[in-house]
Amino acid sequence: MLTDKDVAGPLVDHHCHGVSPAELDFAGFQALFSESYRPAPKGTTEFQKPLGLAIRRWCAPVLDLEPSCAPEAYVERRLVLGAAEVNRRFLRGSGLDELLVDTGHRSSAIAGIAEMAEIAGRPTREIARIEAIAEEAARGCSSAAGFAQAFADLLEARARQSVGLKTIVAYRCTFRIDQTAPDKASVDAAADRWFRHAAEIGKFRLEDPIIVRHGLWLGAEICRQRKLPMQVHVGFGDPDVYMHACDPTHFTDFIAAMEKWEVPITLLHNYPFQREAAWLSEIFQNVYYDVGVILNYAAPMATDILGEAMEMGKYSKLLYSSDAFGLSELYYLGALLFRRSLMKVLNRWLAEDACSVADAEEIIRMVAQENARRIYPIN
Amino acid sequence: MLTDKDVAGPLVDHHCHGVSPAELDFAGFQALFSESYRPAPKGTTEFQKPLGLAIRRWCAPVLDLEPSCAPEAYVERRLVLGAAEVNRRFLRGSGLDELLVDTGHRSSAIAGIAEMAEIAGRPTREIARIEAIAEEAARGCSSAAGFAQAFADLLEARARQSVGLKTIVAYRCTFRIDQTAPDKASVDAAADRWFRHAAEIGKFRLEDPIIVRHGLWLGAEICRQRKLPMQVHVGFGDPDVYMHACDPTHFTDFIAAMEKWEVPITLLHNYPFQREAAWLSEIFQNVYYDVGVILNYAAPMATDILGEAMEMGKYSKLLYSSDAFGLSELYYLGALLFRRSLMKVLNRWLAEDACSVADAEEIIRMVAQENARRIYPIN
Amino acid sequence: MLTDKDVAGPLVDHHCHGVSPAELDFAGFQALFSESYRPAPKGTTEFQKPLGLAIRRWCAPVLDLEPSCAPEAYVERRLVLGAAEVNRRFLRGSGLDELLVDTGHRSSAIAGIAEMAEIAGRPTREIARIEAIAEEAARGCSSAAGFAQAFADLLEARARQSVGLKTIVAYRCTFRIDQTAPDKASVDAAADRWFRHAAEIGKFRLEDPIIVRHGLWLGAEICRQRKLPMQVHVGFGDPDVYMHACDPTHFTDFIAAMEKWEVPITLLHNYPFQREAAWLSEIFQNVYYDVGVILNYAAPMATDILGEAMEMGKYSKLLYSSDAFGLSELYYLGALLFRRSLMKVLNRWLAEDACSVADAEEIIRMVAQENARRIYPIN
């Protein structure tokens, strides 16, 4: 049977975000491990869920506290140590080899690529989020007329410094959309509408399906030319998600088109569609997948979810990610729970006499690093 | 590790129906633990499924029979004892603290609120089913013109004596409907059509989506004013259900609207969407959920389903219900299987060293009673 | 507790295809245990998934190799022994009682009914695939005018020599279609369009929903008259599948219509909708189901999937199938994994003290043979 030592090797975290440098109070800390727009109901806390238990149980000792200490004591200790020290402890304790960082979500509130490298003491590489770049390009344009070119130029420039692109089409329009590239006239007309709407509401938030699709195909063309994977948000997320329409099998046509172009698609998180994602990895040559932040949320049940993801999926296509954002605890827990869960799934396979120890060791190597290194340009 | 004793405390059953006082023969007994409109195929019985095994295994001893006795012997013994004695034994043996009873389904065939209190020897409170009240109001109207007012009056009156409302919109129209409130003219026109149709077929069965939506918002307004939760049927049910369209994430817009109004929504049963329900409890402040009658149907596999429901959901939002209807066995089994399953899930968490015994004890207290008491006006 | 001996009895494989007589090289062998249209990505193989581990682990010894031998050694040994010997070993080693063989998929590349009987040394019976017969009828017509009659005649003739029909409507149009029978004028018009399109592209591939629906109802009428079950492909398959629309609960109306006609519907594979399939078996008198080839794909996790299928489903309605196509390994593994998984599920039920050993033995008998024999005309 495998032990902790067998899964202790460094991981490539192929999808995470930056940590928050803020000194977080009790409410602020809770807000960063919740997908809700509102606080927990009166008389309850965010700690009253598996992720809350996991933070108290496994993160507390890293801050010199007793396992499963009181929530208030945990947050207090965090403030005493200071965010810089806390972040350093968790990130350096995560056993990561390299971090691929999506810089497009609330980027002003979190550490950038260079800071992340410094905090973690490990190399970090950038993933460029298409929709955020479209919004940034729009903000830089004096009128809609210049948008298409500005977007193309900015995306190209960002892609040059990145090791992959990412789309959150699922958040913005769901996957139940026309999946072809829109023509230029439609894009221009949509940009026009968008700029007028943005002038009214005072900000650029990209939700127009035509421009989202345009960005998707602009990104796809870049990925094809530069041989970059495209990360695709799937399933689990905040209240913007219409979950039933974020089943990745609604995105089959785009995925199939990318297979023709030989663009690797990495399906992120996927919960509760981890089985669908694994099936897509079986039928499409270009599909890769992870279970991301779900292991943190499910904590003691993480093994079951990773197990489902490994039911039929190719282990040559399973990736590790923490999808951590904001709290450095989430990078640490992500790695800890992934290692534990993978060990438990493989020990079950060994107990079932379904593979050899050498097979299990190959699976660990592939999932921890080799699969990511095969598809991302990270040496 | 936890033992049976740790989960033996009284439960609030926040969603059940009345028991049948009928003396049931072999066919009649089977019909009450099936969701089908037809009997089992020739050469088979309803006992040939997990729920059938569970009744023979765990209910037989309560009727002084050997565990796993023959189905025929079980039904015969039931007749010998008489329904009154059988119902008393099972309901008093369930270890319930309080029962919240939906009185809107086949209410002429089952015991009412007061009888239930007498049989169970415990307090019972009413949950008013919106669609049943609409039908009752319609039956009392001489013409469609008076329906809207009559419905509003009757719902208001029933709500005054109830601790929550319930909607079965999923059964009647699925969740894939416009989720806004219809205007008065549409409601009046729809009532007109409904009354003409009812005159033709000789009964009022509410399936019109406009009136269903009207009832939903009428109920919502009452819940908002009176601070009552609204129970929502989700997923598992009889052949009226189009399951794919009863995924609760199709009801996101209404749920979000109720979050703004601070109306607690309790998602019932949820199978096979227990993960989706748990996710909704994470992202929406007002969402609560249970796995209801599913534990009875899954019997030996009940732990897995409760486990999935507890993967990411807030345990400050998980409720107990039996969803029992008709057979008193179902109240008894519901409580037994919930206690066993909860103990097993928590023992797994303890075995994974994912929480402390004190945490587990808090979870039991919350799920057994405190969560229900926090949202229902039952002191 | 049950042991291997308790589940060792012969199985009726109610849904499989023919084996390939080809001598398969490394690429050719991999292609036959993949649902993809393309080979595994460069630097990876099809062996890097649970099914690949299972072939190496459990099939290698049948070919006199060490368990978990290298993939290349496995394929080389297969070539040395020759396909005829390999197929004989696996099929005779599967412990099957009788095989019901779908002859409508790539039938020129695989063994027919008589050959399968010879290779397996057991009786084989035919299942007629409606859509393949429609295409065959079309190929035999000089014009669209004669299609409807030719199709009806050919389907009737094939049904006479078959023990069931099968539809792959899910593959060709998904289940999200009008589920009524189209009228004659629509069918004729659709045939006209189909023949013109076929003349252009040079082959008849049935994808027109009107003709598919016509075939479905033509088949239904035959099943009703001849008392044959209709097999329905559900869920898991190749890239032609839009998975979200192949949830069997999208096919509720047709299933309910067949309940009225007393036509048994057998839902095939079902993954990832095994829970939905089991629920349909609970609510509809005429619904039966299996988990087919999924046990092969999930190999060490097969028990979990069979377990979910058995959560609420009637075990009087669960069937065994391998859904094997091409590789004789798949018949062998299918039977091996089904027996192991069933034993493990039932041992868990026994460990939970949820049924008696006699109950478990009845379940094994029903699932292995009796359920199939009750609905198919195979005495």
Side-chain angles (χ1 to χ4, degrees):
Chain A
M1 303 300 268
L2 306 174
T3 64
D4 288 337
K5 198 165 48 69
D6 295 297
V7 290
L11 301 170
V12 172
D13 188 342
H14 90 109
H15 176 244
C16 60
H17 304 262
V19 291
S20 166
E23 304 297 343
L24 298 159
D25 63 11
F26 198 57
F29 183 71
Q30 287 183 69
L32 279 178
F33 69 98
S34 164
E35 291 286 329
S36 180
Y37 295 156
R38 297 189 172 213
K42 224 182 113 181
T44 73
T45 75
E46 292 294 335
F47 284 93
Q48 289 163 331
K49 63 186 179 193
L51 175 50
L53 293 173
I55 290 173
R56 290 171 46 229
R57 171 61 190 86
W58 289 305
C59 297
V62 178
L63 304 188
D64 318 314
L65 296 165
E66 287 297 309
S68 302
C69 68
E72 295 76 7
Y74 185 88
V75 176
E76 192 181 350
R77 174 67 181 159
R78 226 181 173 279
L79 285 167
V80 167
L81 285 171
E85 170 66 9
V86 167
N87 292 345
R88 209 190 53 85
R89 287 194 189 184
F90 283 121
L91 272 164
R92 303 217 165 190
S94 300
L96 299 178
D97 192 69
E98 193 155 352
L99 291 80
L100 312 192
V101 182
D102 166 10
T103 51
H105 179 53
R106 295 171 56 190
S107 42
S108 61
I110 54 170
I113 292 287
E115 285 166 281
M116 284 300 290
E118 167 132 7
I119 299 167
R122 300 298 314 161
T124 56
R125 311 295 294 267
E126 188 163 2
I127 301 290
R129 187 191 284 222
I130 298 170
E131 292 78 10
I133 291 169
E135 291 165 353
E136 186 182 339
R139 283 193 299 271
C141 288
S142 53
S143 78
F147 169 70
Q149 190 59 48
F151 180 21
D153 291 346
L154 192 60
L155 190 58
E156 179 67 36
R158 286 293 162 76
R160 270 199 299 274
Q161 69 195 47
S162 298
V163 297
L165 301 189
K166 174 178 173 187
T167 176
I168 55 164
V169 51
Y171 262 115
R172 297 301 174 86
C173 321
T174 82
F175 291 135
R176 299 185 67 168
I177 52 168
D178 178 352
Q179 287 160 40
T180 60
D183 61 28
K184 189 174 173 343
S186 313
V187 174
D188 288 345
D192 228 57
R193 286 193 301 273
W194 187 27
F195 274 65
R196 270 184 281 123
H197 182 65
E200 277 166 37
I201 65 165
K203 73 168 182 176
F204 281 98
R205 179 174 162 89
L206 177 53
E207 287 178 325
D208 181 285
I210 293 172
I211 302 181
V212 168
R213 283 163 53 210
H214 172 65
L216 202 57
W217 284 91
L218 207 56
E221 186 61 61
I222 290 171
C223 287
R224 180 193 205 178
Q225 285 172 13
R226 307 186 70 89
K227 301 210 171 301
L228 300 180
M230 184 183 286
Q231 299 185 344
V232 180
H233 173 96
V234 179
F236 178 81
D238 66 36
D240 283 357
V241 166
Y242 287 89
M243 187 62 91
H244 58 90
C246 294
D247 174 340
T249 72
H250 279 287
F251 213 43
T252 305
D253 289 339
F254 182 75
I255 293 170
M258 292 304 98
E259 186 187 48
K260 290 208 184 74
W261 283 12
E262 301 189 353
V263 172
I265 296 291
T266 63
L267 304 173
L268 306 175
H269 338 308
N270 294 297
Y271 188 85
F273 305 112
Q274 59 275 7
R275 284 169 159 165
E276 283 82 353
W279 170 70
L280 290 168
S281 88
E282 162 64 20
I283 65 167
F284 288 117
Q285 193 185 49
N286 62 325
V287 171
Y288 297 78
Y289 67 115
D290 69 34
V291 285
V293 75
I294 307 308
L295 301 188
N296 280 348
Y297 272 87
M301 314 298 268
T303 306
D304 292 13
I305 295 166
L306 185 64
E308 286 187 13
M310 294 179 74
E311 270 170 9
M312 82 162 40
K314 290 183 169 158
Y315 51 77
S316 51
K317 292 178 153 195
L318 181 63
L319 302 169
Y320 170 66
S321 87
S322 66
D323 189 25
F325 176 95
L327 296 188
S328 47
E329 281 86 346
L330 302 177
Y331 305 78
Y332 179 82
L333 268 183
L336 180 151
L337 288 165
F338 183 75
R339 289 188 173 100
R340 280 174 63 120
S341 300
L342 184 60
M343 180 184 73
K344 280 169 190 271
V345 170
L346 294 177
N347 273 339
R348 179 168 159 203
W349 292 15
L350 291 167
E352 298 258 359
D353 191 18
C355 67
S356 67
V357 170
D359 292 328
E361 288 167 348
E362 182 193 40
I363 294 170
I364 294 167
R365 279 196 310 274
M366 295 181 87
V367 171
Q369 293 221 11
E370 290 176 13
N371 294 338
R373 295 197 182 284
R374 197 184 316 112
I375 60 169
Y376 288 100
I378 51 172
N379 78 355
Chain B
M1 302 299 268
L2 305 174
T3 65
D4 287 337
K5 198 163 46 71
D6 296 297
V7 289
L11 302 169
V12 172
D13 187 344
H14 90 109
H15 176 243
C16 61
H17 306 262
V19 291
S20 166
E23 303 297 342
L24 298 160
D25 63 11
F26 198 57
F29 183 71
Q30 287 182 69
L32 279 178
F33 68 98
S34 164
E35 290 287 328
S36 181
Y37 295 156
R38 299 190 169 212
K42 225 181 111 182
T44 73
T45 75
E46 292 295 335
F47 284 93
Q48 290 163 331
K49 64 186 179 194
L51 175 50
L53 294 173
I55 290 173
R56 290 172 46 230
R57 171 61 191 87
W58 288 306
C59 296
V62 179
L63 305 189
D64 318 313
L65 297 164
E66 288 297 308
S68 303
C69 69
E72 294 78 6
Y74 185 89
V75 176
E76 194 180 348
R77 174 68 182 160
R78 226 180 174 280
L79 285 167
V80 168
L81 285 172
E85 170 65 11
V86 167
N87 292 345
R88 208 191 54 87
R89 287 195 189 183
F90 284 120
L91 271 164
R92 302 217 167 191
S94 299
L96 299 178
D97 192 70
E98 192 154 353
L99 292 78
L100 312 192
V101 182
D102 166 11
T103 51
H105 180 52
R106 295 171 57 192
S107 43
S108 62
I110 53 169
I113 291 288
E115 285 166 281
M116 285 300 290
E118 168 131 7
I119 299 167
R122 299 299 313 163
T124 56
R125 312 295 293 269
E126 187 163 2
I127 301 291
R129 187 192 284 221
I130 298 170
E131 293 78 9
I133 290 169
E135 291 165 351
E136 186 183 339
R139 284 194 300 271
C141 287
S142 53
S143 78
F147 168 70
Q149 190 59 50
F151 180 23
D153 292 345
L154 192 59
L155 191 58
E156 179 66 37
R158 285 294 163 75
R160 270 198 299 273
Q161 69 194 48
S162 299
V163 296
L165 302 189
K166 174 178 173 186
T167 176
I168 55 163
V169 51
Y171 262 117
R172 298 302 173 86
C173 321
T174 82
F175 290 136
R176 298 185 66 169
I177 53 168
D178 178 351
Q179 287 160 40
T180 60
D183 61 29
K184 189 175 173 343
S186 312
V187 174
D188 288 345
D192 227 58
R193 287 193 302 272
W194 186 27
F195 273 66
R196 272 185 279 123
H197 182 63
E200 278 168 38
I201 65 165
K203 72 168 183 177
F204 281 98
R205 181 176 160 87
L206 177 54
E207 287 178 324
D208 181 284
I210 293 172
I211 302 181
V212 168
R213 282 163 52 210
H214 173 64
L216 202 57
W217 283 91
L218 208 54
E221 186 61 61
I222 291 172
C223 287
R224 181 192 205 177
Q225 285 170 13
R226 307 185 71 85
K227 301 210 171 300
L228 300 179
M230 184 182 286
Q231 299 185 346
V232 180
H233 173 97
V234 179
F236 178 81
D238 67 35
D240 283 356
V241 166
Y242 287 89
M243 187 62 91
H244 59 88
C246 295
D247 174 339
T249 70
H250 280 287
F251 213 42
T252 305
D253 289 339
F254 182 75
I255 292 170
M258 291 304 98
E259 187 187 51
K260 289 207 183 74
W261 282 13
E262 301 190 353
V263 172
I265 296 291
T266 64
L267 304 173
L268 306 176
H269 337 310
N270 293 299
Y271 188 85
F273 305 112
Q274 57 276 6
R275 284 168 159 166
E276 282 83 351
W279 170 69
L280 290 168
S281 87
E282 161 66 18
I283 65 167
F284 288 117
Q285 192 186 49
N286 62 326
V287 171
Y288 297 79
Y289 67 114
D290 70 34
V291 287
V293 76
I294 306 308
L295 301 188
N296 280 347
Y297 272 87
M301 313 297 268
T303 307
D304 292 14
I305 296 166
L306 185 64
E308 286 187 13
M310 295 178 73
E311 269 169 8
M312 83 161 41
K314 289 183 171 159
Y315 52 76
S316 51
K317 291 177 155 197
L318 181 63
L319 302 169
Y320 170 66
S321 89
S322 66
D323 188 26
F325 175 94
L327 296 188
S328 47
E329 281 86 346
L330 302 178
Y331 304 77
Y332 179 82
L333 269 182
L336 181 150
L337 289 165
F338 183 75
R339 289 188 173 100
R340 281 174 63 119
S341 301
L342 184 60
M343 179 184 73
K344 282 169 190 271
V345 170
L346 294 178
N347 273 338
R348 180 168 159 204
W349 292 14
L350 290 168
E352 298 260 358
D353 190 19
C355 67
S356 68
V357 171
D359 291 327
E361 287 167 348
E362 182 193 40
I363 294 170
I364 294 168
R365 280 196 311 273
M366 294 181 89
V367 171
Q369 293 221 13
E370 290 176 13
N371 294 338
R373 294 197 183 285
R374 197 185 316 113
I375 60 170
Y376 289 99
I378 51 173
N379 75 358
Chain C
M1 301 300 267
L2 306 174
T3 65
D4 288 336
K5 197 163 49 69
D6 295 297
V7 290
L11 301 170
V12 173
D13 188 344
H14 91 109
H15 176 244
C16 60
H17 306 263
V19 291
S20 166
E23 304 297 343
L24 298 160
D25 64 10
F26 198 58
F29 183 72
Q30 287 181 69
L32 279 177
F33 68 98
S34 164
E35 291 286 329
S36 181
Y37 295 156
R38 299 190 168 209
K42 225 181 113 184
T44 73
T45 75
E46 292 294 336
F47 284 93
Q48 289 163 333
K49 64 186 178 193
L51 175 49
L53 294 172
I55 290 174
R56 289 171 47 228
R57 171 60 191 86
W58 288 306
C59 297
V62 179
L63 305 188
D64 318 315
L65 297 164
E66 288 297 309
S68 302
C69 68
E72 295 77 7
Y74 185 88
V75 176
E76 193 181 348
R77 174 66 182 162
R78 228 180 171 279
L79 285 167
V80 167
L81 284 172
E85 170 64 11
V86 167
N87 291 345
R88 208 191 54 85
R89 287 194 189 183
F90 283 121
L91 271 165
R92 303 217 165 190
S94 299
L96 299 178
D97 192 69
E98 193 156 349
L99 293 78
L100 312 192
V101 182
D102 166 10
T103 52
H105 179 54
R106 294 172 58 192
S107 44
S108 62
I110 54 169
I113 292 287
E115 284 165 281
M116 285 299 290
E118 169 133 3
I119 299 167
R122 299 300 312 164
T124 56
R125 311 296 293 269
E126 187 163 1
I127 301 291
R129 187 193 283 222
I130 297 170
E131 292 78 9
I133 290 170
E135 290 166 353
E136 186 182 338
R139 283 193 300 270
C141 287
S142 53
S143 78
F147 169 70
Q149 190 59 50
F151 180 21
D153 292 346
L154 191 59
L155 190 57
E156 178 67 36
R158 285 294 163 73
R160 272 200 298 275
Q161 69 194 48
S162 299
V163 297
L165 301 189
K166 174 178 172 185
T167 177
I168 54 163
V169 52
Y171 262 116
R172 297 302 173 85
C173 322
T174 81
F175 290 136
R176 299 185 66 167
I177 52 169
D178 178 352
Q179 287 161 40
T180 60
D183 61 29
K184 190 177 172 340
S186 311
V187 174
D188 289 344
D192 228 57
R193 285 193 302 274
W194 187 26
F195 273 65
R196 272 185 280 122
H197 183 64
E200 276 167 37
I201 65 165
K203 73 167 184 178
F204 282 98
R205 180 175 161 87
L206 177 53
E207 287 178 324
D208 181 284
I210 292 172
I211 302 182
V212 168
R213 282 163 53 210
H214 172 64
L216 203 57
W217 283 92
L218 207 57
E221 186 61 60
I222 290 172
C223 287
R224 179 192 204 179
Q225 285 172 15
R226 306 186 70 88
K227 301 210 172 299
L228 300 179
M230 184 182 286
Q231 299 185 345
V232 179
H233 173 96
V234 179
F236 178 80
D238 66 36
D240 283 358
V241 165
Y242 286 89
M243 187 62 91
H244 58 90
C246 294
D247 174 340
T249 71
H250 280 287
F251 213 42
T252 305
D253 289 339
F254 182 76
I255 292 169
M258 292 304 98
E259 187 187 49
K260 290 208 184 73
W261 282 13
E262 300 189 353
V263 171
I265 295 290
T266 64
L267 303 173
L268 306 175
H269 338 310
N270 294 299
Y271 188 85
F273 305 112
Q274 58 275 5
R275 285 169 159 165
E276 282 82 351
W279 169 70
L280 290 168
S281 88
E282 161 66 18
I283 64 167
F284 289 117
Q285 193 186 49
N286 63 326
V287 171
Y288 297 79
Y289 68 113
D290 70 33
V291 286
V293 75
I294 306 308
L295 302 188
N296 280 347
Y297 271 86
M301 313 298 267
T303 306
D304 292 13
I305 297 167
L306 185 64
E308 285 187 15
M310 295 178 74
E311 268 169 11
M312 82 161 40
K314 290 182 170 159
Y315 51 77
S316 51
K317 292 178 153 195
L318 181 63
L319 302 169
Y320 170 66
S321 89
S322 66
D323 189 25
F325 175 94
L327 296 188
S328 47
E329 280 86 346
L330 302 178
Y331 304 77
Y332 179 82
L333 268 183
L336 180 151
L337 289 166
F338 183 76
R339 289 188 174 100
R340 281 174 63 120
S341 301
L342 184 60
M343 180 183 74
K344 281 169 189 272
V345 170
L346 294 177
N347 274 338
R348 179 169 159 202
W349 292 14
L350 290 167
E352 299 259 357
D353 191 18
C355 67
S356 67
V357 171
D359 291 328
E361 288 166 348
E362 182 194 40
I363 294 170
I364 294 168
R365 280 196 311 273
M366 295 182 87
V367 170
Q369 292 220 13
E370 290 176 12
N371 294 338
R373 294 197 184 284
R374 197 184 317 113
I375 60 168
Y376 288 99
I378 52 173
N379 69 3

